[in-house]
Amino acid sequence: MDDQAKVFENFLKKRSLKLTRTRRLILEAVFRNHDHFDVDTLYDQIKTRHQNVSRATIYRTLPLLVQAGLLKQSLRCQDKDHYEHIYGHERHLHFLCTRCGNIIEIESGGIEKIIRVMAEEKDFKIMEYNIVMRGICANCRTGGE
Amino acid sequence: MDDQAKVFENFLKKRSLKLTRTRRLILEAVFRNHDHFDVDTLYDQIKTRHQNVSRATIYRTLPLLVQAGLLKQSLRCQDKDHYEHIYGHERHLHFLCTRCGNIIEIESGGIEKIIRVMAEEKDFKIMEYNIVMRGICANCRTGGE
DNA sequence: CAAAATTTGATAATGATTCTCAATAAAAAT
DNA sequence: ATTTTTATTGAGAATCATTATCAAATTTTG
Ligand SMILES: [Mn+2]
Ligand SMILES: [Mn+2]
Ligand SMILES: [Zn+2]
Ligand SMILES: [Zn+2]
């Protein structure tokens, strides 16, 4: 059992939930994606390998993974929530090209620190934050059709 | 005619659209709100004063105001988009208390600059950005029931 | 193995947003 | 001012992502 599965199992145990076969399948599919995905993409991927995982169960399981700190709902795009796994990944933020739809990741750099200070000042306990920038990427701006 | 209306009119003219009575009503309602609102709230407010502005028209008009640079869709909360007018306002970011739902605004501080530099590096032309932090506010953390 | 507790899949329901289209209003032309 | 053209509106239907329901299946416990 890999790390993520252990984390998930612990998380589940704490709330007397079970690490079932289906939940494991979903977990694996989530960690097979190394970029941002939406629920339907995941559903199709899972369906291709092992049939019979209901969309409902995916919708139920993703929030668990988020609470377990393994997954993040990082952006909303085309009216859908998009997720990415975060276990063992650096925090980063996203540029979203509004022309081609590409997502470019950027290391959080100095922002992290600033945010922490701001939160401190307002006596606000941050659980998570999200930074999304929209614009036109270099490719689209130059030639890119 | 106030400033916002002029800006909006110019924007509309450029695309041979018309500043109609209904659009003006919506514009006014938008600038009567000095905090974050969703479509339905706006709809109710407008309905209270002047009857007969269709939800459809509001949904059509808000994107125009956004494109005109008068309005911003700043956050998503309870599955609804939330807007705020930005004409003549400082850029700021938002803390969202996940317990009480309160929104706390923070001046952008040093973040603005950092973001600009990052965009430069990646040769990305930013049109807009959004920063939302989620956590528990001071009030909720101490006594606050 | 039987009983208790949790989970799942199928599908219906919800709700925000978008679409359609005939009726209306605004601007341009005569 | 009247007509013609063009853009807009309201009402309601349609879409579509997400949730809720519930009986059947799985997992855990004793
Ligand atoms: Mn990412
Ligand atoms: Mn604000
Ligand atoms: Zn692009
Ligand atoms: Zn609070």
Side-chain angles (χ1 to χ4, degrees), chain A residues 17-18 20 22-23 52-54 56-57 60:
Chain A
L17 302 177
K18 302 162 184 174
T20 62
T22 310
R23 284 187 178 140
N52 274 4
V53 169
S54 149
T57 305
R60 284 184 201 112

Side-chain angles (χ1 to χ4, degrees), chain B residues 35-36 74-75 84-85 92-94 103-105:
Chain B
D35 53 356
H36 315 85
S74 326
L75 49 88
E84 65 184 324
H85 67 250
H92 59 269
L93 43 98
H94 299 109
I103 297 172
I104 301 175
E105 301 190 335

Side-chain angles (χ1 to χ4, degrees), chain A residues 122-125, chain B residues 97 104 136-144:
Chain A
K122 295 284 174 174
D123 197 8
F124 195 94
K125 187 182 182 195
Chain B
C97 177
I104 301 175
I136 315 279
C137 75
N139 197 20
C140 283
R141 245 185 14 273
T142 62

Side-chain angles (χ1 to χ4, degrees), chain A:
Chain A
M1 185 156 69
D2 47 14
D3 261 12
Q4 308 110 49
K6 268 179 214 136
V7 172
F8 196 30
E9 193 178 35
N10 286 343
F11 168 84
L12 291 168
K13 247 178 202 149
K14 239 177 287 179
R15 354 206 134 193
S16 41
L17 302 177
K18 302 162 184 174
L19 179 48
T20 62
R21 165 188 164 68
T22 310
R23 284 187 178 140
R24 209 186 292 262
L25 284 179
I26 295 172
L27 176 73
E28 280 160 13
V30 161
F31 276 86
R32 211 178 288 123
N33 277 278
H34 292 287
D35 52 356
H36 316 85
F37 59 88
D38 58 36
V39 169
D40 248 50
T41 307
L42 198 69
Y43 173 71
D44 290 339
Q45 293 172 357
I46 293 174
K47 194 172 196 177
T48 302
R49 316 206 157 210
H50 333 266
Q51 50 282 106
N52 274 4
V53 169
S54 149
R55 231 179 287 261
T57 305
I58 296 179
Y59 273 109
R60 284 184 201 112
T61 305
L62 295 189
L64 294 176
L65 290 170
V66 169
Q67 288 173 62
L70 294 168
L71 184 66
K72 175 167 171 135
Q73 187 214 309
S74 325
L75 47 88
R76 197 171 167 83
C77 188
Q78 295 158 210
D79 295 319
K80 292 172 199 158
D81 285 334
H82 287 241
Y83 296 84
E84 66 185 323
H85 67 248
I86 55 175
Y87 186 75
H89 284 261
E90 287 295 322
R91 283 240 179 65
H92 59 269
L93 42 100
H94 299 109
F95 280 155
L96 178 55
C97 176
T98 53
R99 188 163 306 161
C100 67
N102 256 19
I103 297 172
I104 301 173
E105 300 191 334
I106 311 280
E107 10 154 356
S108 291
I111 288 188
E112 187 93 12
K113 209 179 309 164
I114 296 186
I115 283 180
R116 246 181 255 298
V117 173
M118 283 173 168
E120 192 97 20
E121 271 171 21
K122 295 284 174 174
D123 197 8
F124 195 94
K125 187 182 182 195
I126 291 183
M127 304 310 298
E128 59 122 7
Y129 65 85
N130 245 310
I131 305 185
V132 179
M133 297 163 212
R134 265 163 257 265
I136 315 280
C137 74
N139 198 18
C140 284
R141 240 177 26 266
T142 63
E145 168 56 1

